[in-house]
Structures are given as C-alpha cells and as structure tokens.
Amino acid sequence: MQTGKVNCLYRTTTIKSRKEKSGAEMLESMVYPSFPNREDVPKTAKKRETGQAQKNLNDKNARRYLIRLANINFSKGDIWATFGWDDDNMPEDEERAEKDIKNFIARINYRRRKAGLENAKYIYIPAIDGYARPHFHILISGDGMDRDELEDLWTKCERKNTRRVKPDDDFLITGIATYITQNPHGTKRWRSSKNLKKPDAPTRSYRKFSRKKVNGMVRDFEELKAQMEKAYPGFKFLDAEVKYNDKVAAFYIYARMIKKRDKGKEKPRK
C-alpha cells in the first residue's frame, strides 16, 4: 500500500483472553479489508444506513468485550445469578434500582472483608427499562461465598436464581456471558468492578492472510479452519463467521480458537 501497488490489503487483528485461574486461553481472529487513505474507502449511498451499521457494530464490539472480561475473570465455582424485585419492593425508577444493586454488592463485600477475603469481582447487567418485572443478571466471585448466603443478602424478592459456573472445555463461559448480554428491549449497558483483569492489547498484522488466501478461506470452511490453525500454532479452531460487504467488495472473517492444553496438567484453582 505504501508504494501504491495496491489500494487494499487484508489486516488481521488478534485478541487473546487468558483465564486467570485455569490458564485456558481463547483467541479471536478478525480479518478485514484495510485502506491506506480515507478517500480509498468506497462511499456508501445512504448515510442513515451507514450510521445504523456503525451502531450495530459498536453494540457487537461491546458485547464481545464483555465476553472477554467474563472469560478472563470467572471460572469454575464462581456464581452467576438473576435477582429481581417483588411488588412490595418495586423500584420507582432505574436510579433506585441501581442503588439497590450497589447496596447489595456493598453488603457482599462487607461480608467478604469480615471473612478476610478481597472485594468480589463482578459484572452485572440490569434489565430495568421496558420490563414489567425488572431484574438483573450478575457474574460474581464464588470463593468463600455460599449460594444460600448470597441469596440471603438480596432482600428485594423471594424468588432468586443462583448457579455455580461450569465452564465448557472449548468455549469456557462464552455461553453464559452471551446469554446475560441479550436484551430484547435494547438496553446493553453493563457495570463491573474495578478489580477485573483486562484483556491484553490486540496485535495487528498485514502478513497473516493475503487476499488470495482469504478468497480461498471464505469459499471453503475446511480451508478456513486449516489456515487458521496454521496461522496460530497451538490453538484449536472452534468456529467462524464470514460476511461479504458489497459496498467495499471485500470479505470479513471472525474466528474463535482455544489453546490446546493437556487437561491433566491444568493449573489447579487456588
């Protein structure tokens, strides 16, 4: 691109999410067209469509980031739960609901400190606006915390749903994280504790996949799998999405992989 021989190359962004407790590692590979100059990008006909597409992309990226955080920070034995409000404790607005949730987390941390534990790690997603029965989903540290004890600390309803996290061998807790981010009313805001470990910075390359290689990968699933595993030695291919953008006449690939590991040598949970 610098010499002007081509006006578009395929760029690959790689993001790795390594689980703190077990050492399991998920990899995301995003292959997409890259243009050297803004004027080289084909113009879309309708700005309104472009704006909506950008909003959808931002929402998708936010959900993917939350899933990374969940996979890195939560593992077997942690807790995911759903809590709500009964008629006698129904919050008058979203601000009151948020205050109830924060008071709940403060009680958890107070109990943990008394037991000599650090503050809990957590991610929660409120489902308040537009719901006849407001509730929230939460992923939270499970060490030193009994499920019954946790349920007793939420006093706003009688029906409570808590479960211990049981990661999948390949997708870790992607399924749980995907479920709690789905919101039919469109509210995708989520909150998290400040003590979460963040994903490593992504790496980017123009050399992993050439245009010719990409054209072969998008037409043959087995070729896509083989090229991904060749590009990332030590990782097992899980799945992929392939999309074609007719406005820029290029393909987009999003693939997920898991680091191969000997289960017998998995790091023990501390």
Side-chain angles (χ1 to χ4, degrees):
M1 287 195 295
Q2 288 177 342
T3 60
K5 293 181 179 179
V6 295
N7 68 347
C8 173
L9 287 176
Y10 276 100
R11 190 183 194 187
T12 303
T13 293
T14 304
I15 301 176
K16 295 181 180 179
S17 302
R18 187 176 187 276
K19 191 174 286 294
E20 277 197 304
K21 294 172 182 175
S22 69
E25 189 170 18
M26 182 169 279
L27 179 150
E28 296 165 88
S29 179
M30 288 156 277
V31 185
Y32 51 92
S34 178
F35 300 88
N37 302 301
R38 185 179 295 272
E39 56 268 22
D40 294 321
V41 181
K43 301 295 188 298
T44 57
K46 297 181 180 179
K47 291 184 178 180
R48 182 177 300 176
E49 290 182 2
T50 304
Q52 184 59 46
Q54 186 62 48
K55 181 179 183 300
N56 293 340
L57 179 61
N58 291 342
D59 289 342
K60 179 184 289 187
N61 288 338
R63 289 195 298 273
R64 285 178 178 172
Y65 184 73
L66 184 149
I67 291 168
R68 289 177 204 128
L69 284 179
N71 275 323
I72 291 170
N73 291 281
F74 301 97
S75 191
K76 184 177 181 180
D78 289 322
I79 296 172
W80 72 289
T82 302
F83 296 103
W85 290 260
D86 58 27
D87 292 338
D88 293 335
N89 295 291
M90 191 67 65
E92 62 269 20
D93 53 30
E94 193 168 346
E95 183 179 352
R96 177 68 251 184
E98 288 280 0
K99 189 172 182 179
D100 287 346
I101 299 171
K102 290 177 181 177
N103 288 341
F104 171 58
I105 293 171
R107 288 194 293 273
I108 292 171
N109 284 332
Y110 174 75
R111 188 74 59 90
R112 289 177 64 87
R113 287 193 296 270
K114 284 188 67 175
L117 300 170
E118 296 180 350
N119 283 349
K121 291 184 175 184
Y122 64 83
I123 298 173
Y124 74 84
I125 298 94
I128 310 296
D129 188 32
Y131 284 85
R133 186 60 62 183
H135 59 279
F136 67 97
H137 304 288
I138 186 168
L139 266 170
I140 193 164
S141 305
D143 56 317
M145 178 65 68
D146 183 82
R147 285 171 54 196
D148 291 335
E149 183 182 15
L150 181 66
E151 291 179 8
D152 288 343
L153 291 174
W154 179 256
T155 59
K156 301 299 180 180
C157 72
E158 292 297 324
R159 297 182 64 183
K160 306 154 190 182
N161 193 350
T162 61
R163 291 135 292 189
R164 290 286 179 182
V165 170
K166 296 179 180 178
D168 181 78
D169 287 342
D170 288 337
F171 289 94
L172 308 181
I173 67 167
T174 297
I176 295 173
T178 301
Y179 171 76
I180 65 178
T181 60
Q182 293 173 345
N183 189 337
H185 292 282
T187 302
K188 300 181 176 68
R189 291 176 297 166
W190 48 275
R191 317 280 190 269
S192 66
S193 57
K194 294 180 180 179
N195 56 354
L196 295 184
K197 186 179 185 300
K198 305 298 191 296
D200 292 335
T203 60
R204 296 180 174 88
S205 170
Y206 285 101
R207 296 179 178 272
K208 274 194 184 297
F209 301 107
S210 66
R211 178 184 287 268
K212 180 179 179 180
K213 193 172 291 185
V214 169
N215 286 338
M217 292 164 66
V218 299
R219 289 172 172 81
D220 186 335
F221 184 80
E222 289 303 318
E223 177 68 9
L224 192 158
K225 175 182 175 181
Q227 289 296 339
M228 281 289 171
E229 292 189 340
K230 181 179 178 181
Y232 300 102
F235 283 84
K236 181 179 76 171
F237 177 84
L238 296 177
D239 62 7
E241 294 177 8
V242 175
K243 294 185 178 180
Y244 179 74
N245 187 321
D246 57 0
K247 295 182 175 63
V248 298
F251 291 95
Y252 291 74
I253 300 173
Y254 171 77
R256 294 187 291 190
M257 309 181 75
I258 190 74
K259 190 172 186 178
K260 296 176 183 176
R261 53 197 168 98
D262 184 344
K263 293 183 181 179
K265 296 182 179 179
E266 183 173 315
K267 282 177 59 178
R269 178 185 173 95
K270 294 183 179 178

